[in-house]
Amino acid sequence: MKGCLKLKYLDRIQRLSELIKTTGKVLALSGAGISTESGIPDFRSKDTGLWNQYEPQKVASIQALKKDPKSFYDLNFKWWNVCLRAKPNQAHVALAQLEEMGWLLGTITQNIDGLHQQAGSQRVWEVHGHLRGCSCLNCKDDYDLEQLFQNYYCPHCGGLLRPHVVLFGDTMSVDYFMAEKVMSGCQLLLVIGSSLQVQPVASLPYLSRQIVIINKEPTAWDNHATLVFHESASKVLWDLVSIMKKQTGPYYTE
Ligand code: NAD
């Protein structure tokens, strides 16, 4: 049966551990749901998602930024401050440990919060950008994010500064195209905390031979998944790592 939702939780964890051990190239794809346990709201959770309150095109598009920079930054600074103050949770730490043990090649993330790197992940593709910098829409000069928080007009030419975040209406980031490349030959993709509704990222699972879904709510990909967990990401990944730690990593076989 696809998804194996009828199997008991611990049996599914055990199966996931075996799947990872016996599969060649394993990658993770994370979404906003992996960071909710760090206090950052996601977009599409039934009651708490940000898109229940706001319209994406009005608050997170390049058109919105150009039309009304003050409203755009008043709202986004609040959200970014939440991201910048957040700390990694057990799900981020578990992924970093899976990578360190050699079971996971790396993590493709839609998140801009930088929590995978803070947790120790070394190979991270930030397909929707990050909160480490900004650049001028006019002269293209780059600055760190501090400059944007102080004054969102360029100190060099007076042009409007924009964050290094992929906004609705932008072209995709270099990291996205690198992620597509790294997905080539992927045997197993762990999709964690993503509703898989935002394209083109929502199509990345097509590039993997098998997928496993770890998401509190059902997704459109559940029927195509080898295993499905409708539990919290931190619980599932922490339990998984606890089991994997008891076994020898692939690079340390005797
Ligand atoms: P989404 O809001 O569409 O989906 C999140 C999913 O995670 C939901 O289906 C929800 O049920 C699930 N979820 C929530 N908490 C969970 C938990 N603790 N454990 C397991 N599952 C949980 O998010 P998405 O798919 O990443 O949407 C893409 C967009 O969200 C991207 O554009 C991304 O840039 C943006 N985003 C990023 C952040 C961040 O950087 N932390 C926060 C909000 C939104």
Side-chain angles (χ1 to χ4, degrees):
M1 188 199 67
K2 274 284 177 193
C4 295
L5 262 173
K6 281 194 179 152
L7 279 180
K8 281 196 187 121
Y9 171 73
L10 280 178
D11 292 337
R12 274 179 287 139
I13 291 284
Q14 187 59 43
R15 278 210 186 178
L16 178 54
S17 145
E18 280 156 20
L19 199 58
I20 291 174
K21 274 191 287 168
T22 52
T23 305
K25 185 172 180 179
V26 185
L27 283 157
L29 168 62
S30 70
I34 199 170
S35 296
T36 55
E37 291 170 89
S38 294
I40 304 174
D42 64 11
F43 280 154
R44 293 179 190 80
S45 271
K46 218 163 42 167
D47 301 317
T48 52
L50 286 173
W51 290 163
N52 295 317
Q53 290 175 56
Y54 304 106
E55 240 183 81
Q57 286 297 339
K58 286 197 180 152
V59 298
S61 68
I62 185 70
Q63 293 83 359
L65 167 62
K66 287 177 179 169
K67 190 173 164 203
D68 185 355
K70 184 176 178 328
S71 302
F72 177 92
Y73 281 123
D74 279 354
L75 186 74
N76 279 284
F77 281 166
K78 276 189 210 149
W79 181 56
W80 296 343
N81 269 320
V82 175
C83 291
L84 292 168
R85 277 198 288 264
K87 295 276 169 271
N89 63 54
Q90 285 184 322
H92 300 101
V93 174
L95 283 185
Q97 292 186 356
L98 283 178
E99 183 186 326
E100 196 188 355
M101 289 189 288
W103 297 114
L104 181 74
L105 180 62
T107 301
I108 299 165
T109 187
Q110 297 166 83
N111 298 344
I112 58 170
D113 54 35
L115 294 181
H116 288 298
Q117 293 93 327
Q118 266 193 59
S121 288
Q122 300 293 314
R123 282 185 294 273
V124 181
W125 295 272
E126 296 169 306
V127 295
H128 288 165
H130 55 78
L131 283 175
R132 293 185 292 279
C134 63
S135 54
C136 175
L137 283 172
N138 181 45
C139 72
K140 314 292 178 209
D141 272 4
D142 283 326
Y143 301 95
D144 60 26
L145 200 74
E146 203 48 48
Q147 177 64 46
L148 187 63
F149 273 95
Q150 276 169 24
N151 178 5
Y152 43 80
Y153 289 101
C154 177
H156 174 65
C157 76
L160 185 60
L161 297 182
R162 60 149 304 150
H164 288 163
V165 164
V166 177
L167 301 170
F168 288 97
D170 276 334
T171 51
M172 288 306 282
S173 62
V174 172
D175 269 29
Y176 173 75
F177 295 103
M178 285 165 68
E180 264 193 355
K181 254 191 170 170
V182 85
M183 282 288 304
S184 165
C186 180
Q187 298 295 304
L188 175 62
L189 184 67
L190 311 177
V191 184
I192 306 150
S194 177
S195 63
L196 290 172
Q197 287 184 40
V198 177
Q199 292 292 357
V201 175
S203 292
L204 285 178
Y206 282 116
L207 302 177
S208 179
R209 198 165 74 81
Q210 292 187 80
I211 59 168
V212 167
I213 301 279
I214 302 168
N215 204 69
K216 272 190 174 168
E217 294 167 3
T219 76
W221 277 91
D222 287 8
N223 285 337
H224 307 280
T226 307
L227 289 167
V228 175
F229 295 85
H230 288 161
E231 279 97 5
S232 101
S234 65
K235 176 178 167 48
V236 173
L237 290 174
W238 200 251
D239 288 343
L240 173 70
V241 160
S242 306
I243 288 185
M244 305 287 289
K245 268 185 178 168
K246 293 181 190 146
Q247 299 143 357
T248 318
Y251 300 145
Y252 304 107
T253 45
E254 287 165 19

